[in-house]
Amino acid sequence: MNPVIVIPSCWDRSARVGALGERGVYDYTTPIDKPLPELEVCLSSLERVSGVLRVIVLVVAPKECEDAARARVNSICRSHADLNPLVIGAKEAAHVERAVARMAHHVAGETVSLRGYGAIRNMGLAVAAVLGHDVVVFLDDDEVVTESDFLTKAVWGLGSLTRQNLQVLAKSGFFIDRLGSPYAEPSSEWSEKYWSKAADFNRVMERAQTSASRITRSNHLCGGCCALHAAAFSKVPFDPYITRGEDLDYVLNLRANGMDAWFDNEWYVEAQPPEEMAGAPSVFMQDVHRWLYEYRKLDAMNARRDLRTITPESLMPYPAPWLSAEVRRRVFRTALRRLITGPDRLAYLRILTKGRYEADKFARSASSRYLSFAMVWPTIVSALWGDRVIASAILSTGQAAPRAVHAAPTAPESDPLADTGAFPVQGGAR
């Protein structure tokens, strides 16, 4: 196998709260002048990992500070030459975007770019294809890798078959917090009664963690700790039209195309999110768009005869309750309760009187956009795969530091990153 680690990294002049409904508002952005950025800590932790062939850093920043963000990321990456870092900023991304535009000129919106959660991940997949990597391991820059065999665990079982003759092509690990817990903290606030997903998520996590099998079929994908085989990512893209939750959405996309996501209960990273977070109303509005769009999109996918039907029962206990008409009542009740309890009352009043209707209108009109894009994605990846011209252009400007040359090691008895030949047993819940 030829795995690559892909790390999206979001930057800005300073931590700021995005406007309500603004595209490109992320959970957090790193201020360019931050003394110890999350990316530095993340890359430092990867120095201890064996078998790292290349790390791709996707630089996400507003146009007005792209150059400053790029300079800061270059500086960080130069101090980690052993990781063979490749920085993909606006200049490198443009090569890929032009190639995609030629093949998908009829598809609306930014589908492969450095803006929007799903489009950013598609850019990572596209660059990996250009460089011929057959496994993409996504990692977030606010995470720390604590085990030297992180990459070996990432590729364990990929490409193998379960006892039910199902191939493992997309695999999720999980987060632990600073106390070592993989579980979410439930909210007891009155305003969050209809919006908190912690209890449902914890039931899913507990089932996977206590399974007798290391790998089980999953309704969950941790975008900051997941491994995708080329046989999956060359056929199924991330959804660039969804505002948030592109990782969980990818589970549905895989399943509609006859594939499954799998959970590895021995593979994890430690999450160390910074204090700088996007404003609560902005995040909520993104979630409103996300769930209403997801509900409409699932209906559109199930109406297609060429895709596998996804039943609510197969998505229990999570995310099934969020993929039905019930989500509209959840939106109304939560916005009303947050309006009553404050703060940001004006923002939630806007969501109640206007925002939720606009989100539902968008969901109805855009529910089939992903399907049009997904149809052309295999052609895009096939054309990009091993493209020497684009690869040369990307490498000429994106290599932040030449890789250090060491004495050739003695040949190991076995390659820990090769196809393990393992046959993970599918156990636990279906």
Side-chain angles (χ1 to χ4, degrees), residues 197 270 274:
K197 297 175 283 291
E270 181 180 320

Side-chain angles (χ1 to χ4, degrees), residues 123 291 403 412 424:
M123 178 61 72
W291 290 117
R403 191 165 194 174

Side-chain angles (χ1 to χ4, degrees), residues 17-141:
V17 177
L20 197 63
E22 178 185 353
R23 178 176 168 84
V25 174
Y26 308 102
D27 285 355
Y28 79 91
T29 55
T30 304
I32 294 172
D33 59 354
K34 189 169 186 175
L36 183 61
E38 286 71 30
L39 180 62
E40 167 62 35
V41 178
C42 177
L43 293 181
S44 295
S45 73
L46 283 175
E47 294 276 11
R48 301 188 293 271
V49 175
S50 59
V52 177
L53 304 176
R54 176 182 279 125
V55 174
I56 296 174
V57 179
L58 306 174
V59 183
V60 180
K63 287 187 177 181
E64 61 269 20
C65 64
E66 278 179 358
D67 292 342
R70 174 60 182 266
R72 188 71 199 277
V73 172
N74 280 350
S75 175
I76 293 170
C77 288
R78 278 196 293 268
S79 64
H80 299 283
D82 283 347
L83 298 177
N84 192 19
L86 178 66
V87 180
I88 302 297
K91 185 175 183 179
E92 294 76 19
H95 298 294
V96 176
E97 290 172 358
R98 283 194 293 268
V100 171
R102 288 194 296 269
M103 292 174 279
H105 55 85
H106 63 289
V107 178
E110 296 172 292
T111 56
V112 182
S113 74
L114 292 176
R115 200 162 73 106
Y117 283 111
I120 291 168
R121 294 202 182 273
N122 286 338
M123 178 61 72
L125 298 180
V127 173
V130 167
L131 300 175
H133 292 283
D134 60 356
V135 173
V136 173
V137 178
F138 278 109
L139 188 67
D140 287 341
D141 67 356

Side-chain angles (χ1 to χ4, degrees), residues 126-384:
V127 173
V130 167
L131 300 175
H133 292 283
D134 60 356
V135 173
V136 173
V137 178
F138 278 109
L139 188 67
D140 287 341
D141 67 356
D142 63 338
E143 296 167 350
V144 171
V145 176
T146 60
E147 298 181 311
S148 62
D149 60 350
F150 168 81
L151 202 52
T152 303
K153 287 185 175 181
V155 302
W156 187 89
L158 277 181
S160 297
L161 300 175
T162 68
R163 289 178 179 173
Q164 288 74 24
N165 205 37
L166 299 173
Q167 198 169 18
V168 179
L169 297 175
K171 197 178 75 166
S172 176
F174 59 97
F175 298 124
I176 59 171
D177 59 24
R178 294 176 188 270
L179 299 177
S181 172
Y183 299 106
E185 186 68 31
S187 174
S188 58
E189 295 184 28
W190 178 75
S191 62
E192 304 309 301
K193 178 180 179 181
Y194 299 103
W195 206 248
S196 176
K197 297 175 283 291
D200 292 338
F201 170 79
N202 286 344
R203 282 196 291 272
V204 172
M205 184 62 62
E206 183 178 10
R207 190 164 63 184
Q209 292 287 347
T210 57
S211 170
S213 174
R214 172 174 170 176
I215 289 187
T216 52
R217 191 184 297 175
S218 178
N219 291 342
H220 168 72
L221 187 73
C222 174
C225 185
C226 67
L228 306 179
H229 193 284
F233 74 71
S234 64
K235 294 181 176 65
V236 182
F238 284 88
D239 189 335
Y241 307 110
I242 198 165
T243 52
R244 291 170 57 81
E246 80 292 344
D247 45 4
L248 186 146
D249 174 80
Y250 196 66
V251 176
L252 306 183
N253 302 333
L254 286 170
R255 196 165 291 182
N257 284 276
M259 291 178 270
D260 282 297
W262 299 82
F263 187 93
D264 184 341
N265 63 18
E266 293 187 17
W267 182 41
Y268 64 90
V269 293
E270 181 180 320
Q272 297 184 355
E275 294 181 3
E276 297 89 1
M277 301 293 287
S282 294
V283 172
F284 179 71
M285 193 64 228
Q286 283 186 329
D287 271 333
V288 171
H289 275 89
R290 166 198 179 181
W291 290 117
L292 291 175
Y293 170 73
E294 200 82 277
Y295 156 53
R296 300 294 183 185
K297 175 185 166 183
L298 187 59
D299 279 350
M301 288 197 298
N302 282 341
R304 289 276 293 266
R305 293 185 178 182
D306 58 331
L307 298 177
R308 189 171 72 176
T309 300
I310 303 173
T311 64
E313 292 77 18
S314 69
L315 298 173
M316 290 297 290
Y318 178 78
W322 296 78
L323 300 175
S324 68
E326 170 63 25
V327 72
R328 287 181 290 184
R329 286 189 287 273
R330 289 177 180 268
V331 169
F332 172 79
R333 290 169 176 173
T334 303
L336 180 61
R337 288 182 174 222
R338 290 188 181 186
L339 169 65
I340 293 171
T341 59
D344 302 308
R345 287 188 171 90
L346 181 59
Y348 289 110
L349 179 61
R350 286 182 57 199
I351 293 172
L352 274 172
T353 58
K354 185 177 181 181
R356 61 193 179 105
Y357 298 109
E358 292 178 342
D360 197 34
K361 181 179 179 181
F362 169 81
R364 291 173 182 272
S365 64
S367 60
S368 297
R369 286 184 187 176
Y370 172 77
L371 300 179
S372 297
F373 170 56
M375 287 181 66
V376 74
W377 175 254
T379 302
I380 292 173
V381 175
S382 178
L384 291 177

